[in-house]
Amino acid sequence: MANTGFIVWFAKLIIVLICMNLKPLLVKGEQQVPCLFVMGDSLFDNGNNNNLLTAAKANYPPYGIDFPDGPTGRFTNGRNVADFLAELLGFDKYIEPFATVKGVDMFKGVNYASGAAGILDETAIHVGDRISLNRQLRNHNVTISRMSTLLGNKTLTKEYLSKCIYIVGMGNNDYINNYLLSQLYSSSHMYNPEQFASILIQQYSEQLKTLYLYGARKVVVFGIGGIGCVPSELDLYGTGDSVCINSIDSAVRKFSDKLKPMIDDLNSNLPNAKFSYINSTSIAVPDPSSIGITKLREPCCEISEGKCKHGGGVCSDRAAHYFWDGFHPSEAPNKVTAERAYTALLSTDGYPFDISQLAQL
């Protein structure tokens, strides 16, 4: 068994070298940043909901059918966007969920994402437990305390964290599992789309400032995509052969349009902050057929209430399906999303940096 004291000492040495902008002897292709932290919802969740009392779970077949470890809690057939980003940044394994990470592994980063999580604490309360962004921030603070205890130095911990990349993707559920569910939530009765978007942005901005106060400096904020084109939303609100529901996309666009100005405000008012916005609409696959995706509406797995049925059937041509279940993309579009976020093809993809540029700053 490895000597725990030596492991901690070695971890301290690596961190000191990183904070001094020195690098130990590394092989080619070594990771580009010391750690990667992930906050978000089911698009990034990799197992944090597994032991919660909630309907928002994906730790059963056929989820994970194409993932080496099988069903892990990822809401797709294989890898999610956070997994692909870890690969692109040179990590030799995927970032572990907060629910199971132990010891020095947290120095490589932690994934806090939770299916059904929202910017607002009350979002998705009807599905059961979920770890809202406020709770994810509290969990990150727990991680920081553990790191500081191992290092014996809070200043060194903050310096280390300032060199890591943080991925944050929130807002989907504040619409799908709040604003658009007028029979369960009062938000759409109290606020018009512009007002609701402003409330979300105001809280989101404060949450991101909290992340900054905890030591984060390189923060990537993913926008939300075309919720009006999601199969389960089309089943609920669509008519005939609708490709997307314009009223939903119009409401969501009120939020999306405020993200870039929010990023400018954070970068202008927080010293040394490097927040960046990934435009999910811009990086959406422009021609899905070019990567073999020919089925844009039909989920690949047999679904019940938007999720794959336990042990249910799946399509044989998984790479041809954009959606895995009623809400979540399959592995193929997840890969494209991560690649475009990492290396922007258009000036609108990432602002003011893409992830590869942010890693070098």
Side-chain angles (χ1 to χ4, degrees):
M1 181 179 292
N3 182 285
T4 304
F6 173 77
I7 293 173
V8 173
W9 172 85
F10 186 71
K12 288 183 180 180
L13 173 63
I14 297 297
I15 291 169
V16 169
L17 290 173
I18 290 168
C19 292
M20 292 173 63
N21 287 320
L22 300 174
K23 290 187 178 180
L25 292 175
L26 300 176
V27 296
K28 185 179 179 182
E30 185 61 45
Q31 64 193 56
Q32 298 157 36
V33 289
C35 47
L36 174 65
F37 291 97
V38 181
M39 295 182 177
D41 53 30
S42 54
L43 295 178
F44 293 165
D45 189 356
N46 64 346
N48 285 305
N49 278 21
N50 291 355
N51 295 319
L52 300 183
L53 292 173
T54 180
K57 289 187 180 184
N59 58 336
Y60 59 87
Y63 288 104
I65 191 171
D66 297 313
F67 193 75
D69 297 328
T72 57
R74 290 166 169 83
F75 288 74
T76 186
N77 58 307
R79 290 163 288 181
N80 63 25
V81 171
D83 294 325
F84 282 114
L85 287 174
E87 289 181 10
L88 290 165
L89 287 165
F91 287 84
D92 58 5
K93 64 178 185 177
Y94 302 123
I95 304 304
E96 292 192 42
F98 178 76
T100 58
V101 69
K102 291 181 176 64
V104 294
D105 287 341
M106 67 182 134
F107 286 98
K108 285 288 185 77
V110 179
N111 185 327
Y112 304 96
S114 170
I119 294 169
L120 303 177
D121 289 341
E122 64 268 24
T123 285
I125 193 170
H126 69 284
V127 307
D129 200 6
R130 65 265 172 258
I131 309 167
S132 67
L133 183 52
N134 281 330
R135 285 177 63 191
Q136 291 180 38
L137 287 166
R138 290 196 290 272
N139 287 342
H140 184 52
N141 203 26
V142 170
T143 297
I144 294 171
S145 296
R146 290 172 179 168
M147 294 172 81
S148 296
T149 298
L150 280 174
L151 292 175
N153 189 315
K154 290 184 179 181
T155 302
L156 187 60
T157 301
K158 273 205 167 186
E159 180 67 18
Y160 180 71
L161 293 172
S162 72
K163 300 181 182 300
C164 305
I165 281 184
Y166 291 74
I167 305 294
V168 185
M170 277 289 186
N172 294 291
N173 288 300
D174 295 291
Y175 285 94
I176 293 173
N177 285 310
N178 188 328
Y179 195 72
L180 298 177
L181 289 180
S182 59
Q183 69 274 31
L184 296 179
Y185 296 86
S186 61
S187 52
S188 63
H189 304 291
M190 296 172 63
Y191 310 110
N192 63 36
E194 176 68 27
Q195 292 169 330
F196 186 67
S198 295
I199 289 168
L200 289 181
I201 288 293
Q202 182 179 10
Q203 175 141 337
Y204 204 13
S205 179
E206 291 304 313
Q207 290 163 330
L208 292 170
K209 287 174 185 174
T210 297
L211 189 58
Y212 171 89
L213 290 174
Y214 287 165
R217 292 297 179 269
K218 301 179 180 183
V219 182
V220 180
V221 177
F222 273 76
I224 58 180
I227 291 175
C229 310
V230 170
S232 286
E233 296 301 300
L234 286 167
D235 288 344
L236 282 174
Y237 308 110
T239 55
D241 295 325
S242 303
V243 176
C244 298
I245 302 167
N246 291 332
S247 60
I248 292 178
D249 284 339
S250 176
V252 171
R253 199 174 301 119
K254 302 288 186 184
F255 172 77
S256 297
D257 288 347
K258 297 179 189 301
L259 287 171
K260 189 174 174 183
M262 179 188 74
I263 294 296
D264 282 334
D265 180 66
L266 292 168
N267 285 334
S268 297
N269 293 305
L270 301 176
N272 300 314
K274 299 177 181 68
F275 285 82
S276 195
Y277 167 53
I278 299 299
N279 186 333
S280 295
T281 302
S282 176
I283 66 175
V285 185
D287 178 15
S289 63
S290 66
I291 60 168
I293 296 176
T294 56
K295 298 177 180 178
L296 302 180
R297 279 195 56 172
E298 305 92 342
C300 178
C301 72
E302 186 181 357
I303 64 170
S304 172
E305 296 182 351
K307 298 195 312 172
C308 297
K309 288 184 178 179
H310 283 256
V314 298
C315 63
S316 57
D317 54 345
R318 293 190 281 280
H321 284 252
Y322 189 95
F323 285 98
W324 168 243
D325 62 12
F327 291 103
H328 306 98
S330 65
E331 184 179 69
N334 283 340
K335 184 174 188 289
V336 174
T337 296
E339 289 173 344
R340 286 282 292 269
Y342 181 76
T343 305
L345 294 183
L346 302 173
S347 59
T348 51
D349 289 355
Y351 172 84
F353 320 106
D354 62 27
I355 294 174
S356 67
Q357 293 168 331
L358 193 61
Q360 303 306 315
L361 296 177

